[in-house]
Amino acid sequence: MSDYDVLYLYRNMGENPVWGLFKNIRNVFKKDELGVEIAQIAIPAAMALAADPIASLVDTAFIGHIGPVELAAVGVAIAVFNQASKIAIFPLVSVTTSFVAEEDATKSLSIDSQEIEIVENGFAADGEKEELLPKVELSSKSFSSSQGKVVDGRRNSRHNSSASSALLIGCILGIIQAIFLIFAAKPLLNYMGVESNSPMLNPAQKYLIVRSLGAPAVLLSLAMQGVFRGFKDTKTPLYATMIGDLTNIILDPIFIFLFGLGVTGAAVAHVISQYFISLILMWRLMSEVDLLAPSIKDLQLGRFLKNGFLLLLRVIAATFCVTLAASLAARVGSTSMAAFQVCLQVWLATSLLADGLAVSGQAILASAFAKNDYERATTTASRVLQLGLVLGLVLSLIVIVILKYASTIFTADINVLHLLSLGIPFVVVTQPINSVAFVFDGINYGASDFSYSAYSMISVAAVSIILLLLLSSRFGFVGIWLALSIFMSLRALAGFWRIGTRTGPWRYLRG
């Protein structure tokens, strides 16, 4: 994007922010500096997000060869573990990415300013030159050290208190989650419908307890992924995740069949892979960051916990809507639930690519706002939203093919296929809306607008819950998907509303 385009966009957004976001959409795939930076962050992030579900499918395939009871048991156990992890993971990773990017950008800006001052001092009077030169050399070394550059043949790690805070919180949350799941495994499984006399209880409980031992590694590794995202490095987490998932796939048949451990062996293989991922990320992070904060005050734990709690409320509100929709579908009948699950999994799976864009937007925007670079913030928000819209349209076409022409892959039941044909239009039409909504999440987090993100989601969820109850009672399966479509539309509208009203971090658009 040329300087003229940037200036035009910036002024246009001041007059009409929402319309300005989609101006010059013809340049959406332009390979300029911003386009390349977005791609370098978004593509590895999306691939890393997709790596785990693929590995889980392979994991499930191995467990399926043990028996149908074990497969069902592990499915319930994984659902419990994932739900418990999601509550802690999402706020932790999102807050970490923004805070690390802000701190890194602020320090970089401070260092650049001091270096400019030193260069300007170099033009002092000749009589002062000799006195200044040693200071210039010393200052340059200290600047390089704080940024993790090579100094005197040694690599010096940079300080980032946000990274230290994230790792500490991640470790504590992981330990708490492990203790909770180990001691509450049976009651949680009972709540999920696995009764005490069910043949699934024993294998499900064994799997959940053993897998819970890996919770500290899961939370710690995801906290480190948030740190790397804040540094705009999504390749390192991708490589670590791929190596860890490959390790899991290799160890599965060894522990399950060779050692005869069954579902316990599958859990052991998964735990080992998670600790392996954590070790790789920790090794790489220690070469980049000094993980020991100078003092407790530097950790800023209060700021992390406050904003993390806000995002926790947001996650609970969003999750409750989807969970309620699934519950309402189950009440209609098993046929309705089967069709709902197929549509829902496709609906959620396509969000992985949009999440990659959200991550890139968040990291770049956090740096831009930290530097008060509002032109870059404006152009970044515009570009990632345009990419999100185009991505959503492409996903709509893909979903049409998957659900319309390949529905028999998921089921051969005529009744389920009939309901799928009713749900497909909603899944297809909402793809662009979903993509834009997910990208807006990244934009809000990049602007550290966590309070608005939480309260707007609670408001959207409150309206959507009422619509879910009303529309499902009147229109059944179709009513559920109509309500979910409105839910995602309201999420996207909340993002547009914040920028359109020029409030919060976007008040600079008032001019």
Side-chain angles (χ1 to χ4, degrees), residues 59 62-63 66 251-262 265-266:
D59 207 12
F62 282 120
I63 296 171
I66 304 174
L251 291 179
D252 261 340
I254 296 175
F255 284 105
I256 294 174
F257 305 115
L258 186 62
F259 293 165
L261 295 177

Side-chain angles (χ1 to χ4, degrees), residues 132-146:
L132 284 171
L133 282 175
K135 294 181 180 178
V136 171
E137 183 181 359
L138 179 62
S139 298
S140 298
K141 286 183 179 182
S142 63
F143 296 150
S144 297
S145 174
S146 65

